[in-house]
Amino acid sequence: MPFLLPTSRSRNRTSAERAAAGHAVIIAGAGPTGLMLAAELALAQIDVAIVEQRASQDIVETRAGGLHARSIEILDQRGIAGRFLRKGQITQLAGFAWTRLDIGDLPTRHPYGLTLRQNHIERLLAEWVAELAVPIYRSREVTGFAEDETGLDVTLSGGERLRALYLVGCDGGRSLVRKRAGIDFPGSKPSLSNLMAEVEMREEPQFGLRHDAFGFHGLSKTESGRVLVVLTEANLAHDGEPSLSDLSAALESVYGTDFGVNNPAWISRFTDAARQAASYRRGRVLLAGDAAHIHHSVGGQGLNLGVQDAVNLGWKLAQVVDRISPESLLDTYHSERHPVAARVLKHTMAQIALLRRGDDGRKAAREVISELLAMDEPRQRLGAMMSGLDIRYDIGEGHALLGRRMPDLDISVDGQKIALFTLLHGARGVLLNFGKPGGLDITPWGKRLAIVDADYDGAWQLPAIGAVTAPGAVLVRPDGHVAWVGDECQRGLTEALTRWFGAGGA
């Protein structure tokens, strides 16, 4: 018999009882990806726990600076987007090589981005995770694991051990989980090194962006009144952690002065290395977020990519833990998300190639790209890609909706107008019937997803695609992507339900 763990939340157990009993899923890392994944699993009533090296959720570094439109939609699918919108600033966040991409005319309820620093994003996600009663083992790290036929023994710093069915590495670009699992991390070596810091300056700096022979640089004012510095360093090779003297010297090289830089809140160094895990899964170990892919921060897609990984993986892992679906469902996590990250890496490398130097040739190339992106079709296409609105999973041929995110339509249900995303708040699938009420029957799957008779008489439009034919019925997965499009004849529906929601009645 397989070793089974409880699938209910561990709300009433003490930390000692939790450790002794184990968890169905252990997540290494309480960054945005790990927190989002934990919430997805908790919504599915899976016993999940997070292991986090920080004593609290506080972070000092600025790190990521916002949420793109698709990430806002994902939060809206779970009914928590308002928490983030109240704290951030709505803006046209999408851009390509410093050319701003206005997505205000794309068909979405959120045709914009949200400027909101990662410390605020993490805090809001952590509050949600706490409401869902997910335990976090703080001041600890996953240091190793041993897998057998029925699960894993996960070792933490300090010698503690936890039993789990699955371990998910959300522990960053240097992921120990990835390394211990033996998953390759191929990609390109760095060609540039950037310093980033939040500091005070005794002299008024020259705010804005600039290019030179070294690369690109920028000075901007933060919400705290300090100065956010981004510099391209003259040399690629460095030993040790960056210091204030390193930052001062780099400022001198670029601006001819260090503006009296002092009192850094933090200083970090990052490169344009672009790497991606060869596989997002090996046995009972999975990877998400930076543990699965790293790239330069230009374009601001990293955090968003991780959150979207979590939402794609969460419901699939929940169904496998609950033995609703076979383990092969987890293979679709890699097959769907790996190409998405590969495309982000490609576009990030293209932007760095344009921004890398201030020579005349690259300046001319940037001007040509900027002219193209002033045209509607290129702007909309690239804007939909940078904001995550155009993602399509390869589910098969058919209707234009298939594999894409379901639009958040204002539909009528039982005579009342509702936003379609409200049907996804519980992280469950839904079959929407726009034809004759009661015309579809999914009784064998009735406990796994909802069936809703709905009316909608508006236009059906997709970002970068435009108008599409109105469907008779749509099967929407818990992550908001369309798994089947059809009508009352139900052709192909049983196969789609079995593929994504397990054998009927099991």
Side-chain angles (χ1 to χ4, degrees), residues 183-402:
I183 297 174
D184 291 338
F185 202 43
S188 62
K189 296 180 179 180
S191 67
L192 63 81
S193 176
N194 287 128
L195 280 177
M196 179 179 281
E198 189 174 324
V199 299
E200 293 179 359
M201 290 181 170
R202 286 187 288 271
E203 303 171 20
E204 183 73 14
Q206 300 172 18
F207 291 118
L209 303 169
R210 66 162 59 186
H211 279 96
D212 60 22
F214 294 146
F216 51 91
H217 321 280
L219 301 176
S220 59
K221 188 171 291 187
T222 71
E223 57 192 31
S224 67
R226 288 171 169 262
V227 178
L228 180 65
V229 180
V230 180
L231 298 168
T232 302
E233 298 183 273
N235 299 313
L236 185 59
H238 298 280
D239 295 324
E241 294 298 316
S243 65
L244 182 59
S245 61
D246 292 333
L247 185 65
S248 176
L251 284 165
E252 288 273 4
S253 297
V254 175
Y255 295 94
T257 176
D258 69 358
F259 303 105
V261 64
N262 67 95
N263 194 22
W266 52 268
I267 305 174
S268 65
R269 177 177 279 130
F270 59 95
T271 73
D272 65 333
R275 296 185 178 278
Q276 187 174 17
S279 175
Y280 283 13
R281 176 195 173 206
R282 175 161 290 178
R284 295 179 178 273
V285 178
L286 299 110
L287 304 174
D290 288 353
H293 39 72
I294 60 168
H295 56 86
H296 195 278
S297 63
V298 65
Q301 292 175 282
L303 182 152
N304 295 268
L305 197 58
V307 168
Q308 293 162 26
D309 285 347
V311 175
N312 182 284
L313 173 60
W315 66 277
K316 296 175 181 177
L317 185 53
Q319 290 187 177
V320 172
V321 168
D322 274 342
R323 297 195 295 175
I324 291 171
S325 295
E327 281 198 3
S328 58
L329 182 64
L330 295 178
D331 295 332
T332 68
Y333 167 59
H334 171 90
S335 65
E336 291 181 351
R337 293 303 299 170
H338 193 277
V340 173
R343 186 174 67 155
V344 169
L345 265 63
K346 180 178 72 172
H347 281 83
T348 300
M349 289 188 286
Q351 292 178 78
I352 291 297
L354 288 169
L355 296 172
R356 181 69 180 86
R357 300 288 186 193
D359 58 80
D360 289 343
R362 296 188 202 225
K363 180 181 178 182
R366 290 193 297 271
E367 289 176 353
V368 169
I369 294 295
S370 182
E371 290 173 2
L372 285 172
L373 294 180
M375 303 176 186
D376 282 345
E377 185 174 351
R379 171 185 57 79
Q380 290 174 351
R381 283 186 174 274
L382 208 53
M385 190 282 295
M386 295 300 294
S387 61
L389 292 171
D390 76 335
I391 292 171
R392 179 188 180 274
Y393 299 140
D394 186 9
I395 292 176
E397 298 299 320
H399 195 281
L401 282 168
L402 197 62

Side-chain angles (χ1 to χ4, degrees), residues 428-447:
R428 297 179 69 221
V430 59
L431 177 60
L432 290 155
N433 174 33
F434 295 102
K436 179 183 176 182
L440 297 175
D441 180 19
I442 58 168
T443 300
W445 293 270
K447 294 182 179 179

